[in-house]
Amino acid sequence: MKKIETKVIPVLDMSCVVCANSVEKTVRGLSGVEQATVNFAANTLSVTYCPDEITLQAMQKAVQTAGFDLVIEEEDPVAIQEEKARERYQRLKRNTIGAWLLAVPLAVLGMAFMNASWANWIMMGLAFAIMLLFGRSFYTNGFRNALTGKANMDTLVALSTSIAFLFSLFNTLFPEFWLARGLEPHVYYEASGVIIAFILLGKLLEERAKNSTSSAIRGLMGLQPKTARLVKGGKEIEVPIAALRVGNMVSVRPGEKIPIDGTLIQGYSSVDESMLSGEPIPVEKNKGDRVLAGTINQTGAFTMKVTGVGSATMLAQIVRMVQEAQGSKAPVQRVVDKISSIFVPTVVLLSIITFVCWLVIGGTSYFSYALLSAVSVLVIACPCALGLATPTALMVGIGKGAERHILIKDAFALENLCRVDTVVLDKTGTLTEGVPVVTDVCWVKEETESIRDILFTAEQKSEHPLASAIIRWLEERGAKNCPIDRFESLTGRGVQVQLQENSYWVGSQNLLETFQAEIPVSVQKSIEQWQQEGRSVVFYGREQQLLAVLAVSDRIKPTSAVAVQALKKLGITVHLLTGDGQRTAEQVAATLGIDSFQAEVMPSDKENYIVALQQAGKRVAMVGDGINDSQALARADVSVAMGKGTDIAMDVAMVTLITSDLLLLPDAIRLSKQTVRLIRQNLFWAFVYNLIGIPLAAGAFFPMNGLLLNPMWASAAMAFSSVSVVTNSLRLKFMK
């Protein structure tokens, strides 16, 4: 089986969504690349590839050939990208200021002295200076794309401004050509110069707004300190985080952020883990306990042994998950990408058609109108607004979720979460604390040390959440491991061990009935009372003989009932699935106000329950935290894992609630609704802008009211269309 890796790589030098499509196609076409997705809003490439077949260096070389670049340094690629982004922003700022300093007098001359021949030469100089000094990148990028048979936003800008400038230059040098034909030799230097100034201003504002969409990632990355105190030879040396290696000893003082993942080897303290877990109460840490990068040491000083560096830390994994989610594409975005890929050639064709139509209708006397309209069509068309509509909203939505301790795996999950009309909840660890305790025990046979030890050994090998409660209870009574001949896990029912000639079993009433063990009448009364109180009942026996019955209680989380009611207010039907007995399920369902529930379910039963709901036309979200939930999670339309659950549940899940607080689920659904609403708004206005703007620029309204759009105002409209889409997405940051 070949090795597959997924990485999120910063991309440099993209100027529009067409550039993003070009990078994506280039990487996707390389041998060894399984999947590639470029997010223009985040300037990132999410690539799944086989490292045995292709290297990151080979990808970078291919992207460089296409005119762009990747940041593949392992040390800190995001920091390098941010530094490049800062440099780009400062360069863009200088060019914008410089262009406007020349564009303002250029526009004044064009409006106030349009008939003065001497003004033409000054305007020509000003326009040429703007194009050469501040808009040079449009022409170099446009020319480079033309050589490779590609076209992007730079192509439209370069074409429109060059046509306006060259036509004006011809009229300045050879005015008699038009005068001999009875026409006025108009010049449009101000159009070529002001177009560049407006577009640079739009790009500057767009860049600034785009930077705000990734603030969640920067906030997460900012949790980790840049340096740590390495303990070496009895001395403390301050070193960069990147210099640390697994096994190093690091000293942490009170009030400091913990620099890296590790294990306490000396000292003790309490640690504020709220920034990662959301739990407000500090966690006591003693020798052997795990501590995480970015959390805050509060009271004591300690020495820790490094267990995870770089991408292996918990914080880095969360950052990577958010980055991958922000870089993913919603299904609707793929349709937009197809439109964007043919957008520029289509606009160029429309511009030519506009020019020809004007000449056919009005002849040479309409040449100026034809030229202005053709230039306006090139300028006003904006693929960037379409390209930014979806990713900017997704970036803000997924980032806001991360800040609220909701990790959303990809855009598909965020887009589909709002469509859910049915939520299926596992009980243990989802609705309850997941830390059960043994409350009552009824011994049917005499309690002996050997019987306790066998039960202790069997439960230590069990993965069921109730097993930990029984283990803790037995440890308090001095139980210890004993040798056994065979162990078998009976999924959904319990466990069975073989010792010499006897089979011992621990599990549910279903397992009791399998072994046909009888329950004494006196014990049955206790069982009924425990079940009525909502406690879980565990049976322990040998062959066909019942040895003991244990009552285990798992306290319902304080917020579970509120979360269920919040889901109902959103119009969502709530179901409960549990492996516990019928009476326990009834008690929990009644307490939480859940009408539909099913007890004594096995993992396959949970999956079948999901399938039945889907066949009834329901869109189902499954919420769970254990291995036994993984089948149902994989089957559901949207899968949600509790952050304190098993790794396999979180791997399968599309959404992870880090704090394991079910109240985050209605928050996540509301966030999904808000994000999808913004995406629809953005796409609507982006399409409407182009549907109205292009005909307006072409002069479609000229026969009715004499309205003809000046290319300068067309460029302003184009520049601010992208800014408006990004700004609309940023509104999500301030929504509840």
Side-chain angles (χ1 to χ4, degrees):
M1 185 176 178
K2 62 182 182 180
K3 182 182 176 184
I4 298 294
E5 290 186 7
T6 298
K7 285 188 178 292
V8 178
I9 306 170
V11 185
L12 303 178
D13 304 325
M14 293 191 300
S15 60
C16 71
V17 67
V18 181
C19 299
N21 290 339
S22 179
V23 174
E24 188 173 295
K25 287 179 181 177
T26 300
V27 177
R28 195 179 288 167
L30 298 174
S31 177
V33 174
E34 301 283 326
Q35 187 176 355
T37 303
V38 174
N39 186 327
F40 173 56
N43 291 317
T44 57
L45 162 70
S46 179
V47 58
T48 302
Y49 68 104
C50 176
D52 295 331
E53 296 181 26
I54 189 169
T55 63
L56 294 178
Q57 287 75 14
M59 286 185 216
Q60 184 185 40
K61 189 173 181 180
V63 171
Q64 287 173 338
T65 302
F68 310 96
D69 201 0
L70 300 179
V71 182
I72 61 173
E73 284 81 354
E74 291 291 334
E75 195 66 56
D76 195 351
V78 177
I80 295 172
Q81 183 193 29
E82 287 190 346
E83 180 60 32
K84 295 286 186 182
R86 278 193 294 270
E87 291 175 3
R88 171 182 166 82
Y89 182 80
Q90 291 302 322
R91 184 168 62 251
L92 199 53
K93 188 176 179 180
R94 287 194 299 270
N95 287 341
T96 303
I97 293 171
W100 275 105
L101 286 175
L102 298 183
V104 170
L106 176 61
V108 171
L109 285 171
M111 288 184 288
F113 302 96
M114 63 179 69
N115 296 319
S117 59
W118 58 267
N120 290 351
W121 296 96
I122 299 174
M123 288 191 291
M124 181 187 71
L126 290 172
F128 186 71
I130 292 172
M131 295 166 69
L132 181 66
L133 299 176
F134 308 116
R136 185 170 60 251
S137 62
F138 295 119
Y139 305 99
T140 55
N141 292 339
F143 181 71
R144 184 177 60 201
N145 285 321
L147 291 177
T148 57
K150 297 174 184 176
N152 64 359
M153 196 66 221
D154 292 332
T155 307
L156 296 181
V157 176
L159 269 176
S160 58
T161 54
S162 296
I163 290 170
F165 183 84
L166 291 174
F167 177 71
S168 301
L169 181 63
F170 178 85
N171 288 356
T172 302
L173 297 175
F174 308 104
E176 61 276 2
F177 178 86
W178 298 107
L179 292 171
R181 290 164 175 77
L183 297 174
E184 189 70 27
H186 294 293
V187 296
Y188 302 102
Y189 292 120
E190 76 280 5
S192 57
V194 176
I195 283 172
I196 290 174
F198 266 125
I199 292 174
L200 285 173
L201 177 61
K203 281 188 168 292
L204 182 71
L205 296 175
E206 177 188 312
E207 199 73 25
R208 187 171 180 178
K210 277 169 60 181
N211 288 339
S212 297
T213 63
S214 58
S215 59
I217 284 288
R218 289 197 297 273
L220 285 170
M221 295 180 66
L223 292 176
Q224 188 172 24
K226 300 298 182 187
T227 61
R229 274 191 299 279
L230 177 65
V231 179
K232 195 172 184 179
K235 295 181 179 180
E236 294 183 4
I237 309 166
E238 190 163 333
V239 298
I241 295 296
L244 294 177
R245 297 292 179 266
V246 173
N248 285 163
M249 301 300 171
V250 173
S251 171
V252 182
R253 296 172 185 171
E256 292 182 339
K257 284 185 179 180
I258 296 171
I260 205 82
D261 285 7
T263 305
L264 258 69
I265 60 170
Q266 184 180 347
Y268 61 91
S269 185
S270 61
V271 176
D272 178 2
E273 297 184 338
S274 60
M275 61 285 301
L276 291 181
S277 70
E279 300 292 344
I281 301 173
V283 182
E284 295 294 327
K285 299 290 183 180
N286 295 292
K287 185 177 179 180
D289 288 340
R290 185 186 183 194
V291 290
L292 301 173
T295 57
I296 302 173
N297 178 33
Q298 291 200 323
T299 54
F302 59 82
T303 302
M304 58 181 281
K305 183 178 181 180
V306 176
T307 58
V309 296
S311 60
T313 66
M314 177 69 74
L315 180 61
Q317 290 169 13
I318 292 173
V319 169
R320 184 171 66 250
M321 184 175 178
V322 176
Q323 282 180 320
E324 289 175 358
Q326 289 184 332
S328 63
K329 288 189 177 180
V332 67
Q333 178 64 21
R334 304 202 177 275
V335 177
V336 174
D337 285 348
K338 289 180 181 178
I339 295 172
S340 299
S341 64
I342 60 170
F343 190 92
V344 173
T346 302
V347 169
V348 173
L349 180 61
L350 288 173
S351 176
I352 295 171
I353 292 172
T354 299
F355 183 79
V356 172
C357 286
W358 273 98
L359 290 183
V360 169
I361 293 169
T364 55
S365 62
Y366 272 32
F367 188 89
S368 293
Y369 291 157
L371 187 70
L372 281 177
S373 298
V375 169
S376 294
V377 168
L378 289 173
V379 172
I380 203 168
C382 186
C384 292
L386 285 172
L388 289 168
T390 301
T392 52
L394 287 174
M395 285 181 67
V396 177
I398 291 170
K400 186 173 182 178
E403 290 172 350
R404 294 292 306 275
H405 309 294
I406 302 166
L407 288 186
I408 300 168
K409 185 170 285 187
D410 55 29
F412 178 85
L414 186 63
E415 188 173 342
N416 280 275
L417 193 56
C418 68
R419 299 190 178 102
V420 165
D421 55 27
T422 304
V423 169
V424 177
L425 303 170
D426 173 53
K427 181 182 79 74
T428 305
T430 302
L431 293 168
T432 62
E433 296 285 3
V435 187
V437 293
V438 175
T439 57
D440 292 279
V441 179
C442 187
W443 288 97
V444 179
K445 295 296 179 182
E446 183 182 355
E447 179 185 2
T448 64
E449 183 179 340
S450 62
I451 288 178
R452 282 200 308 266
D453 290 349
I454 293 169
L455 176 59
F456 181 73
T457 304
E459 290 292 67
Q460 278 212 317
K461 295 179 180 295
S462 173
E463 293 178 338
H464 195 279
L466 299 183
S468 59
I470 297 172
I471 290 169
R472 287 193 300 272
W473 177 76
L474 288 168
E475 282 177 339
E476 293 172 1
R477 281 151 184 77
K480 56 185 181 297
N481 275 313
C482 66
I484 57 173
D485 298 326
R486 186 169 62 88
F487 170 84
E488 183 180 359
S489 176
L490 307 172
T491 306
R493 292 184 295 164
V495 297
Q496 180 181 355
V497 297
Q498 189 77 25
L499 181 60
Q500 297 174 358
E501 300 299 323
N502 294 315
S503 286
Y504 292 83
W505 45 269
V506 189
S508 65
Q509 189 160 351
N510 183 279
L511 187 59
L512 171 94
E513 292 167 359
T514 301
F515 281 92
Q516 299 179 340
E518 293 185 2
I519 305 173
V521 176
S522 58
V523 176
Q524 183 64 47
K525 290 181 179 178
S526 297
I527 293 172
E528 289 175 0
Q529 182 183 346
W530 295 339
Q531 288 177 334
Q532 287 173 359
E533 294 171 355
R535 305 186 202 180
S536 299
V537 179
V538 179
F539 298 88
Y540 171 41
R542 177 179 57 214
E543 303 293 351
Q544 288 80 36
Q545 187 179 45
L546 181 63
L547 298 177
V549 184
L550 300 88
V552 182
S553 176
D554 185 7
R555 187 170 68 91
I556 295 174
K557 295 175 184 175
T559 57
S560 292
V562 182
V564 169
Q565 293 307 310
L567 289 170
K568 286 184 173 182
K569 286 182 180 179
L570 289 171
I572 294 170
T573 305
V574 182
H575 296 248
L576 167 65
L577 296 182
T578 177
D580 291 339
Q582 182 71 18
R583 292 188 179 179
T584 301
E586 286 177 359
Q587 179 70 24
V588 173
T591 302
L592 298 175
I594 299 174
D595 300 321
S596 304
F597 64 90
Q598 189 167 319
E600 299 179 1
V601 292
M602 298 177 68
S604 57
D605 296 326
K606 292 183 179 181
E607 182 182 8
N608 292 336
Y609 194 92
I610 299 290
V611 171
L613 288 171
Q614 290 171 329
Q615 289 175 343
K618 305 293 184 182
R619 290 183 178 271
V620 185
M622 171 69 194
V623 187
D625 75 327
I627 294 173
N628 60 337
D629 300 318
S630 55
Q631 281 180 249
L633 287 169
R635 177 66 62 182
D637 296 298
V638 178
S639 48
V640 183
M642 310 305 279
K644 293 182 179 177
T646 59
D647 290 341
I648 189 170
M650 286 186 280
D651 286 343
V652 171
M654 300 175 186
V655 179
T656 300
L657 310 180
I658 300 179
T659 66
S660 292
D661 184 351
L662 195 61
L663 262 180
L664 291 179
L665 181 58
D667 282 351
I669 292 172
R670 281 189 287 265
L671 177 65
S672 172
K673 289 179 183 291
Q674 291 169 345
T675 305
V676 170
R677 190 182 304 120
L678 279 179
I679 289 173
R680 288 171 180 163
Q681 289 173 2
N682 286 347
L683 288 174
F684 173 79
W685 289 114
F687 276 111
V688 166
Y689 165 81
N690 283 292
L691 287 173
I692 295 176
I694 292 176
L696 177 64
F701 300 100
F702 184 78
M704 292 178 285
N705 53 22
L707 179 62
L708 192 64
L709 191 66
N710 188 295
M712 290 190 295
W713 300 119
S715 66
M718 188 279 282
F720 287 103
S721 64
S722 297
V723 178
S724 64
V725 164
V726 181
T727 305
N728 189 46
S729 296
L730 289 174
R731 289 196 305 117
L732 186 59
K733 281 189 169 188
F734 309 103
M735 292 181 182
K736 288 186 178 180

